[in-house]
Amino acid sequence: MKTLWQHCHVATMAQGTYSIIEDAAIVTSGAHIEWIGPRGALPAGHYPHVEDLAGAWVTPGLIDCHTHAVFGGNRSGEFEQRLQGVSYAEIAAQGGGIASTVRATRAASEDELFASARKRLHSLLRDGVTTVEIKSGYGLDLANERKILRVIRRLGEQLPATVRSTCLAAHALAPEYAGRADAYIEHICAEMLPALAAEGLVDAVDAFCEYLAFSPAQVERVFIAAQKLGLPVKLHAEQLSSLHGSSLAARYQALSADHLEFMTEADAAAMATSGTVAVLLPGAFYFLRETQLPPMDALRKHGVKIAIASDLNPGTSPALSLRLMLNMACTCFRMTPEEALAGATLHAAKALGLEHSHGSLEVGKVADFVAWQIDRPADLAYWLGGDLEKRVVRHGADVTL
Ligand code: DI6
Ligand code: FE
């Protein structure tokens, strides 16, 4: 079906800037954008289906390119403990932290995980998200990683959003392999990744490169195994310390390196060369009360594309609004609202390898957009959460929740 959408202004986000069209019109044909421009230049013709957007500001549908939205239980009890002065390390030593989420996730059925993740995603989607990446990583064995990835695929089938699935089996050491990290990495490379990829459950492969997780040498083995399977890689890097995981990611043409508070200028230069997107996660920065800022000047100087994501997870970023992350990116990282919006649209699409079809409103791309009742695009990074009046269109059809 062909539809003319009008009575709106558009921030197309082409090239990662607002690229504003005032008094715009959009023609969608099926799932795609057939024409977009000033209404005065609309090609003459018959448009049987016309939608009035009531003066809205239209942006691309928001893209949350880094979440861990599928997990059992939650860790609000640990949050209370931490605020009473118990350290993250002490909590982990008592069996808390990632290990407690792994236990709860293993104990949950596929249906239970689906139901709890669906509610969290509902919050993200209500806030204008039309594409979301979800990582596994709380299963840490073949059966449980498979269970999580199957839930991710089901969410993609049942929710009005494009869902990309990332295998993060190398998130933490599986308890069965305590003291044998290299053997766990071997198990991931030789058994888990080939099996899960063959089942069509994996769009990309991620790992956690950190002194309390896996070393660059171990991550490199995971990257080599992923590339043998034809899968793109991403990396959690430089969140708590500087191991130059982001430079390693760049050497493997990673789609993105994420977190990055402790990265160096040389890491930024390497990422710029490989076109690896810097995914910044202000929710985790805020929730952990981190004080080390990501090197914004180096990222800008080298022209690294910057994305912003929620990192939605139970331990370090229980964030249910991507727009709130845009605000935090501006207040905490001193990004401009325009940079932040590019970070949740075009650059987030690139972090998922989807920049040719998603992330900006241009002819030929998918018709995923949000018509916001706001005064100007900066409002999206201005309000602290809340529920802005909007219409959400995905693949050319109204999917407002
Ligand atoms: N970095 C994080 O912030 C989360 N995972 C990661 O690699 C933490 C996940 C958790 O604490 O459950
Ligand atoms: Fe993460």
Side-chain angles (χ1 to χ4, degrees):
M1 186 177 67
K2 194 179 280 214
T3 305
L4 168 62
W5 309 80
Q6 60 180 10
H7 194 188
C8 61
H9 308 298
V10 180
T12 72
M13 302 316 290
Q15 272 84 56
T17 62
Y18 282 148
S19 306
I20 284 168
I21 306 171
E22 286 185 10
D23 192 8
I26 305 170
V27 179
T28 58
S29 177
H32 292 86
I33 297 172
E34 185 177 286
W35 189 89
I36 182 165
R39 196 161 53 100
L42 182 69
H46 180 57
Y47 298 97
H49 194 118
V50 181
E51 291 278 344
D52 183 338
L53 292 174
W57 271 95
V58 175
T59 69
L62 302 186
I63 299 177
D64 194 344
C65 66
H66 180 143
T67 83
H68 310 244
V70 177
F71 55 84
N74 85 33
R75 309 231 295 272
S76 55
E78 288 182 12
F79 179 52
E80 281 191 307
Q81 279 185 291
R82 276 204 294 125
L83 290 170
Q84 283 156 8
V86 186
S87 75
Y88 195 82
E90 285 166 320
I91 291 170
Q94 295 159 11
I98 292 183
S100 73
T101 299
V102 171
R103 279 195 302 279
T105 304
R106 287 180 173 186
S109 70
E110 204 173 299
D111 285 343
E112 286 166 342
L113 289 176
F114 178 83
S116 63
R118 196 183 158 285
K119 287 186 202 160
R120 293 175 204 120
L121 287 170
H122 197 260
S123 294
L124 289 178
L125 267 50
R126 269 191 69 89
D127 200 35
V129 168
T130 53
T131 298
V132 58
E133 183 255 21
I134 309 176
K135 302 171 194 298
S136 66
Y138 290 116
L140 308 185
D141 63 23
L142 179 57
N144 285 291
E145 288 290 299
R146 175 187 285 126
K147 179 173 72 179
I148 297 169
L149 292 165
R150 285 170 53 96
V151 169
I152 296 171
R153 284 286 184 247
R154 251 174 87 189
L155 291 163
E157 285 156 18
Q158 298 196 20
L159 289 173
T162 299
V163 177
R164 302 292 281 183
S165 144
T166 299
C167 182
L168 178 59
H171 188 195
L173 186 56
E176 296 75 17
Y177 284 85
R180 297 186 295 132
D182 283 319
Y184 181 53
I185 292 291
E186 179 58 25
H187 177 57
I188 291 172
C189 296
E191 276 147 88
M192 293 172 75
L193 287 180
L196 298 169
E199 291 167 38
L201 294 173
V202 184
D203 298 322
V205 173
D206 195 349
F208 189 16
C209 187
E210 193 55 68
Y211 64 89
L212 50 69
F214 297 103
S215 69
Q218 289 166 336
V219 167
E220 186 161 16
R221 290 169 62 196
V222 175
F223 281 0
I224 290 169
Q227 292 196 340
K228 268 198 196 129
L229 295 165
L231 295 169
V233 299
K234 317 167 73 69
L235 191 63
H236 284 69
E238 273 65 84
Q239 181 184 8
L240 307 169
S241 64
S242 175
L243 300 181
H244 305 291
S246 42
S247 287
L248 171 67
R251 279 206 297 288
Y252 282 82
Q253 276 76 49
L255 292 173
S256 70
D258 305 36
H259 285 288
L260 303 176
E261 281 87 341
F262 288 83
M263 79 186 295
T264 63
E265 182 164 354
D267 294 324
M271 286 176 63
T273 303
S274 63
T276 298
V277 175
V279 178
L280 303 185
L281 304 167
F285 174 91
Y286 163 85
F287 198 71
L288 293 176
R289 304 175 70 193
E290 180 58 68
T291 52
Q292 172 82 28
L293 286 161
M296 301 306 302
D297 291 345
L299 291 169
R300 289 190 181 109
K301 175 177 154 194
H302 290 278
V304 179
K305 302 278 189 276
I306 301 171
I308 300 298
S310 70
D311 197 16
L312 168 53
N313 80 68
T316 62
S317 189
L320 296 172
S321 163
L322 184 55
R323 263 191 324 98
L324 178 57
M325 300 301 107
L326 301 189
N327 177 276
M328 289 185 178
C330 297
T331 51
C332 298
F333 299 162
R334 288 283 171 248
M335 289 177 70
T336 66
E338 185 176 29
E339 285 176 319
L341 186 58
T345 54
L346 188 61
H347 298 163
K350 186 168 165 61
L352 299 178
L354 295 176
E355 72 274 26
H356 301 298
S357 52
H358 293 70
S360 61
L361 298 176
E362 298 176 79
V363 170
K365 284 198 167 186
V366 291
D368 287 4
F369 56 82
V370 184
W372 311 87
Q373 292 299 329
I374 55 176
D375 293 337
R376 58 188 67 81
D379 286 24
L380 299 178
Y382 167 71
W383 298 107
L384 291 165
D387 188 9
L388 299 183
E389 185 184 347
K390 70 182 82 63
R391 281 180 72 181
V392 180
V393 173
R394 175 169 182 263
H395 290 182
D398 193 314
V399 293
T400 307
L401 291 171

